[in-house]
Amino acid sequence: MAAMQSTGPRERMTQWWQLRSRVERLLIAVVGGAAIAALAWLVVWQPMQRDTERLVRQIATQRSALANARLQADDIASLSRNPAAATPHDARAELDAMLAQQGLKAASVDRVDNDRLRVSFDAIGFDSLLKLVATLQRDARLRAVDLASTARVEPGQVRAELVLAQ
């Protein structure tokens, strides 16, 4: 029996390649090239295309945000150049008018200091409370700086205490 030589993977691959006919070699090279091209398309080209499209959308969004920020900066600059003249108003009278307009009755209204009022409600609908706070801020220029509410047994009702500032 002839002595068997140990061959490495490279020699075996070379021997296998040499045993193939010219047409088989050409076919294997074409199929291998197509497989490499498909793999490159899936692994490299597709992710690059997706990232490019995402970045284009991101740029458009960021440009819009930048334009909006510039407009707001211009508005802020114009407001600081032309400060609104402070018109004195009676916060308590405006609060009473808003409460009467919305049909609400406060348990107590106390003045905390020159600019703040503390208003307490034993029972008020949560929706009514939110509407009152929004209306006070919009119409009476009174904003809530502190609000504490506790749920009551009745659904939708809370006990609320809020501090309003001018």
Side-chain angles (χ1 to χ4, degrees), residues 21-96:
S21 69
R22 187 169 178 235
V23 173
E24 285 177 325
R25 287 182 197 169
L26 182 62
L27 184 61
I28 291 170
V30 168
V31 170
I36 289 172
L39 188 61
W41 183 76
L42 284 173
V43 174
V44 176
W45 187 256
Q46 283 296 89
M48 235 174 25
Q49 287 296 103
R50 282 192 303 269
D51 287 346
T52 302
E53 292 168 2
R54 179 183 51 83
L55 289 173
V56 166
R57 286 190 307 270
Q58 232 176 15
I59 286 173
T61 303
Q62 289 175 350
R63 282 184 180 154
S64 172
L66 177 62
N68 190 18
R70 284 181 177 158
L71 285 173
Q72 289 178 353
D74 291 343
D75 288 345
I76 290 170
S78 69
L79 288 174
S80 66
R81 282 190 299 267
N82 305 322
T87 56
H89 60 60
D90 184 15
R92 175 67 189 256
E94 290 185 21
L95 174 64
D96 290 339

Side-chain angles (χ1 to χ4, degrees), residues 83-127:
T87 56
H89 60 60
D90 184 15
R92 175 67 189 256
E94 290 185 21
L95 174 64
D96 290 339
M98 289 294 163
L99 290 172
Q101 178 184 359
Q102 293 189 11
L104 299 173
K105 183 173 182 195
S108 68
V109 177
D110 303 317
R111 185 167 292 280
V112 177
D113 55 28
N114 289 340
D115 295 331
R116 296 177 181 214
L117 296 171
R118 176 174 288 120
V119 184
S120 298
F121 295 95
D122 288 334
I124 184 172
F126 188 72
D127 293 338

Side-chain angles (χ1 to χ4, degrees), residues 148-165:
S149 65
T150 307
R152 294 184 50 92
V153 176
E154 302 87 16
Q157 295 288 311
V158 294
R159 182 194 181 295
E161 182 174 294
L162 62 137
V163 177
L164 301 169

